[in-house]
């Protein structure tokens, strides 16, 4: 298996089932023009997030890690007109690009980007009584994944869905001796979820234009 084959299959699937439109294309174009790293979810992954939000019947979504708002657009488009999405982003430059991309997509009435370190904006959200959110997408600094899952539990209800991106990282997740902060954080997160009776979870390995990685899904139970 080669990266070229993975790309060809992603292009095939995306072309038929997740072609995207002007707002999504422009979001990626303007993110690149602004110098943001090209680490948004792939189009077929964005479509998966959208479908999961629809299946979930989500009316409210919390995203941790906005970048240019590409995944945000896919998720916000799954919400009803009176739905609400809050996306948390550390970098003010990323947040500015994302807000412009969401406005162009017509999603600014329902999607809000909050700037700051998520470990500061999450307690603020909880303090103002936000939530419970029906779906949480965790996709920020991987070192803090265990903290983000703990906060996601605080801000959800039984039946909510928590999704975590980038949990495999080329297979490095199995390396118990890794000193990579992201791997250490992700492994702590797996241990936490395994021990947490309020979460029922699995993870899947993925290949595609984003290389070899994976996605974790956790359902909040009573
Ligand atoms: N979800 C996006 C990609 C997010 S990339 C998409 O798929 O389109 C990860 C983002 O998390 C980056 O924009 C980075 O600036 C942000 N980030 C990193 N550390 C953070 C923190 N402590 N709090 C909030 N956001 C953070
Ligand atoms: C990185 C972050 C992501 O969220 C992702 O999907 C891919 C790569 C990164 O920080 O390298
Ligand atoms: Mg990611």
């Amino acid at each position: 298996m080669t990266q070229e084959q993975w790309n060809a299959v992603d292009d095939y699937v995306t072309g038929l089932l997740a072609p995207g439109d002007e707002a999504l294309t422009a979001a990626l174009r303007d993110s690149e023009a602004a110098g943001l790293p090209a680490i948004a979810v792939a189009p077929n992954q964005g479509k998966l997030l959208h479908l999961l939000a629809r299946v979930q019947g989500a009316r409210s979504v919390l995203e941790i890690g906005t970048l240019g708002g590409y995944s945000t657009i896919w998720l916000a488009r799954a919400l009803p007109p009176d739905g609400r999405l809050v996306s948390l982003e550390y970098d003010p430059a990323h947040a500015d690009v994302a807000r412009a991309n969401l406005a162009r997509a017509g999603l600014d009435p329902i999607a809000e980007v909050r700037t700051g370190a998520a470990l500061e904006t999450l307690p603020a959200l909880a303090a103002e009584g936000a939530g419970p959110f029906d779906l949480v997408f965790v996709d920020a600094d991987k070192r803090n994944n265990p903290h983000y899952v703990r906060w996601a539990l605080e801000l959800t209800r039984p039946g909510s869905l928590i999704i975590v991106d980038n949990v495999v990282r080329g297979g490095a997740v199995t390396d118990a001796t890794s000193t990579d902060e992201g791997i250490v954080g992700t492994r702590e997160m797996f241990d936490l979820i395994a021990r947490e009776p309020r979460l029922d979870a699995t993870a899947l390995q993925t290949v595609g234009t984003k290389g070899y990685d994976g996605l974790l899904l956790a359902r909040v139970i009573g």
Side-chain angles (χ1 to χ4, degrees):
M1 283 295 186
T2 65
Q3 181 66 54
E4 287 66 36
Q5 284 176 294
W6 299 347
N7 292 349
V9 174
D10 260 7
D11 291 347
Y12 175 76
V13 171
T14 292
L16 288 171
L17 305 180
D21 58 12
E22 169 57 19
L24 284 163
T25 307
L28 289 179
R29 186 194 61 219
D30 285 8
S31 295
E32 188 185 358
L36 273 53
I39 56 174
V41 292
N44 52 342
Q45 296 174 327
K47 183 71 181 282
L48 175 67
L49 294 174
H50 176 89
L51 289 170
L52 287 169
R54 290 268 189 194
V55 167
Q56 180 68 0
R59 307 181 62 82
S60 58
V61 170
L62 172 63
E63 177 176 69
I64 308 175
T66 318
L67 193 65
Y70 182 75
S71 56
T72 323
I73 293 174
W74 280 109
L75 285 165
R77 283 181 171 175
L79 298 177
D82 63 341
R84 182 184 188 208
L85 182 148
V86 179
S87 189
L88 308 179
E89 174 53 50
Y90 175 74
D91 189 322
H94 294 186
D96 283 345
V97 173
R99 288 189 191 104
N101 286 334
L102 288 164
R104 177 172 38 213
L107 294 165
D108 44 334
I110 62 167
E112 172 197 353
V113 181
R114 294 202 182 186
T115 311
L119 287 182
E120 288 172 20
T121 51
L122 285 163
L125 262 182
E128 71 191 49
F133 292 92
D134 302 320
L135 188 154
V136 180
F137 178 47
V138 179
D139 192 20
D141 52 322
K142 314 309 175 191
R143 175 67 191 95
N144 283 318
N145 273 344
H147 301 296
Y148 295 151
V149 168
R150 271 192 213 98
W151 276 108
L153 264 173
E154 291 295 313
L155 290 162
T156 51
R157 53 160 178 88
S160 294
L161 180 65
I162 300 170
I163 306 172
V164 186
D165 195 22
N166 312 116
V167 301
V168 172
R169 290 297 178 111
V173 68
T174 59
D175 182 2
T177 68
S178 176
T179 53
D180 179 292
E181 290 204 320
I183 296 301
V184 172
T186 297
R187 289 177 58 84
E188 285 178 16
M189 176 201 70
F190 267 97
D191 289 339
L192 180 153
I193 293 174
R195 279 185 271 111
E196 175 53 69
R198 290 173 294 171
L199 289 174
D200 195 16
T202 190
L204 286 178
Q205 307 180 65
T206 57
V207 295
T209 55
K210 296 207 62 190
Y212 170 35
D213 212 324
L215 213 57
L216 180 138
L217 298 188
R219 183 169 192 267
V220 181
I221 52 182

